[in-house]
Amino acid sequence: MVENTHKVVFDYAGFSGSITRLTCYSDGCNCSTLVRQPYIGDAMWQTAIEQFKQKHPYSSAISWSEYQDLLKN
């Protein structure tokens, strides 16, 4: 069975660029974003990632620059 994988980008947000963020740029996902808030512990963050991955299945997240390169092709 072939799984439809989404275009998920991993990068950092915030003024200092230290807040982890996952964003799905696949059609129909409306740039859905998961941002790790400073008060979220590791276990809660892993649960949030698993829930995000269920809605936006991906094999690996790419960087923003890799995503920009894909758009050029």
Side-chain angles (χ1 to χ4, degrees):
M1 180 171 125
V2 177
E3 186 176 298
N4 182 22
T5 58
H6 289 221
K7 298 174 199 137
V8 174
V9 174
F10 171 82
D11 64 349
Y12 295 95
F15 294 115
S16 63
S18 61
I19 300 172
T20 306
R21 173 173 62 186
L22 291 170
T23 306
C24 184
Y25 289 100
S26 293
D27 293 336
C29 289
N30 200 26
C31 297
S32 294
T33 303
L34 176 64
V35 178
R36 183 174 185 169
Q37 301 299 320
Y39 56 84
I40 294 178
D42 290 341
M44 189 181 281
W45 177 242
Q46 288 303 316
T47 300
I49 289 174
E50 290 304 318
Q51 290 172 350
F52 184 84
K53 198 169 185 176
Q54 286 176 359
K55 293 179 182 176
H56 310 281
Y58 61 95
S59 57
S60 65
I62 60 175
S63 70
W64 178 251
S65 60
E66 290 172 320
Y67 179 69
Q68 291 298 313
D69 289 342
L70 286 175
L71 292 177
K72 291 177 187 175
N73 296 328

